[in-house]
Amino acid sequence: MTEPILQVDNCHVWFDIKGGLFTKKQTVKAVNGVSLQVRAGETFGLVGESGCGKSTLGRAIVKLYRPTSGTIRYKRQDITALKGEQAQEYRKHVQMIFQDPYASLDPRMTVSEIIREPMDIHDLYPRREREARVVELLQTVGLKPDHIRRYPHEFSGGQRQRIGIARTLALDPEFIVCDEPISALDVSIQAQVINLLEDIQKKLGISYLFIAHDLSMVKHISDHIGVMYLGHLVEIGPSRELYRHPLHPYTQGLLSAVPIPDPKRARERHRIVLDGEIPTPIDPKPCCPFATRCPKAMEKCFCAVPPSIQVDGRQVACFLYQEGGRAASEINIK
Ligand code: SF4
């Protein structure tokens, strides 16, 4: 097995909220002890409800946030403490595609300026070659060379996301954090952008961390999937097995809500409805993060955080799979 290109170990990203005259200081624990690995050329899908910390983790990986503790290693080097030129060099290799193609492009810049800007900042390629590189990148993402002088408002949402992808590719990155790159797009355009990302991966061998809440899209594109809940990674496994046989009660609930195109199979499926809202990540209690919504919660789930253990080739953080809990086969869903 190849060595991981990215290794996150026990990563915490916490934000302090200042206290007032009558309120004490509080801490938002957005990412709470996450560990994962991504191998070269693979796609790791990260799923979970809004507010679970998946985008915060993505931003920590591209150094937009500094982890409170834990390590993020890229090609064995811990990048959390990199500064100045070393951080700049790291950003050449690890880039991000942002969620909103309307907000992430400067409306006053032409397409050429938008895509060329990273090359100017990093002084990549001789100046006179940069324009040719912009044209090449436009063609890679399926846009025409004559789009080069236009402004972002002249394009549709899907085309803008393609411009964002071209800008991301400008520095020849090896790893891209795709932060919900399709959630702001029409359904008809989403598949086109996913296919484009897959084609680019095949051609250039780039690794992706693909963050999304659309589980069917994540299944389609990912080799491995991590399921996040309230700052914790509750299950990690190979994409196909995780979809066929989810182990964690939260993964089971999420997957039971994925629409099935076959009406007969959809009628036969056992739907798990997760009551209640995702709890607040402000000073969470030291218990299973899913305990307040879990249909299988036991007394001990409210007293301690379940450690992540290996079950059937997967990582699962749930007391049901610890010694004395029920066997995996007893808690399958149909
Ligand atoms: Fe549910 Fe308990 Fe497992 Fe948490 S540890 S997911 S509350 S059964």
Side-chain angles (χ1 to χ4, degrees):
M1 195 176 273
T2 52
E3 205 175 300
I5 189 168
L6 181 88
Q7 174 128 15
V8 179
D9 284 312
N10 202 20
C11 179
H12 296 75
V13 185
W14 293 357
F15 302 98
D16 286 337
I17 306 172
K18 276 191 187 154
L21 198 55
F22 301 108
T23 50
K24 59 177 186 166
K25 194 182 99 178
Q26 294 178 306
T27 305
V28 178
K29 299 185 175 177
V31 176
N32 220 352
V34 166
S35 300
L36 59 86
Q37 307 182 333
V38 184
R39 296 187 188 282
E42 84 161 9
T43 300
F44 187 100
L46 199 56
V47 296
E49 289 162 299
S50 297
C52 70
K54 50 193 192 310
S55 292
T56 305
L57 178 64
R59 283 163 188 250
I61 290 170
V62 295
K63 280 187 75 62
L64 288 176
Y65 294 145
R66 186 171 185 167
T68 312
S69 64
T71 57
I72 299 175
R73 286 197 190 86
Y74 181 74
K75 293 187 168 175
R76 293 191 180 179
Q77 183 184 29
D78 185 0
I79 58 96
T80 49
L82 294 184
K83 285 188 183 138
E85 276 181 23
Q86 284 182 317
Q88 184 126 329
E89 183 62 28
Y90 170 70
R91 289 200 181 100
K92 258 195 225 172
H93 303 297
V94 179
Q95 286 282 304
M96 189 163 195
I97 299 172
F98 293 93
Q99 176 179 1
D100 187 348
Y102 293 87
S104 60
L105 305 179
D106 188 332
R108 293 162 303 178
M109 293 169 84
T110 63
V111 169
S112 171
E113 287 165 343
I114 288 170
I115 299 175
R116 209 182 55 219
E117 191 180 38
M119 294 185 251
D120 292 339
I121 291 169
H122 290 269
D123 200 20
L124 202 70
Y125 300 106
R127 275 185 171 275
R128 72 184 90 85
E129 284 179 25
R130 286 178 200 162
E131 194 85 346
R133 175 77 179 138
V134 170
V135 171
E136 190 190 326
L137 287 166
L138 278 176
Q139 286 170 328
T140 303
V141 299
L143 294 174
K144 293 184 191 143
D146 60 4
H147 287 149
I148 203 163
R149 303 274 165 244
R150 296 200 197 166
Y151 288 86
H153 73 268
E154 297 176 64
F155 294 90
S156 67
Q159 286 175 318
R160 287 186 201 207
Q161 195 56 296
R162 285 170 189 265
I163 296 168
I165 293 170
R167 180 183 160 97
T168 304
L169 294 175
L171 298 176
D172 296 323
E174 297 165 338
F175 189 98
I176 299 179
V177 174
C178 309
D179 185 12
E180 307 217 28
I182 52 168
S183 57
L185 304 177
D186 291 344
V187 177
S188 56
I189 308 295
Q190 289 182 354
Q192 289 177 17
V193 174
I194 290 288
N195 290 341
L196 172 65
L197 288 171
E198 283 188 316
D199 290 347
I200 290 169
Q201 186 175 49
K202 270 186 216 141
K203 198 165 144 196
L204 306 174
I206 297 173
S207 314
Y208 293 138
L209 178 76
F210 191 89
I211 299 169
H213 56 253
D214 182 334
L215 291 160
S216 43
M217 282 297 176
V218 174
K219 179 187 177 192
H220 178 75
I221 196 170
S222 305
D223 300 291
H224 284 83
I225 290 177
V227 182
M228 260 188 105
Y229 187 82
L230 204 66
H232 297 256
L233 255 181
V234 296
E235 182 166 356
I236 304 179
S239 168
R240 197 175 297 176
E241 276 96 82
L242 189 136
Y243 271 80
R244 206 172 43 208
H245 179 199
L247 296 178
H248 194 281
Y250 177 59
T251 317
Q252 293 172 354
L254 273 187
L255 290 181
S256 83
V258 174
I260 298 177
D262 177 355
K264 187 165 175 278
R265 275 187 57 218
R267 271 197 299 276
E268 285 168 5
R269 181 173 60 175
H270 170 55
R271 175 90 202 270
I272 299 169
V273 179
L274 298 176
D275 289 326
E277 294 204 344
I278 189 166
T280 168
I282 299 174
D283 293 328
K285 294 197 173 79
C287 63
C288 171
F290 191 50
T292 53
R293 296 171 75 193
C294 179
K296 292 166 182 148
M298 305 167 279
E299 207 180 313
K300 66 175 168 183
C301 305
F302 294 90
C303 305
V305 180
S308 188
I309 57 161
Q310 281 273 354
V311 180
D312 299 343
R314 265 177 266 172
Q315 288 289 130
V316 188
C318 173
F319 285 126
L320 290 171
Y321 301 93
Q322 314 278 312
E323 214 179 324
R326 284 170 279 171
S329 56
E330 286 178 56
I331 51 177
N332 290 346
I333 59 164
K334 296 263 185 301

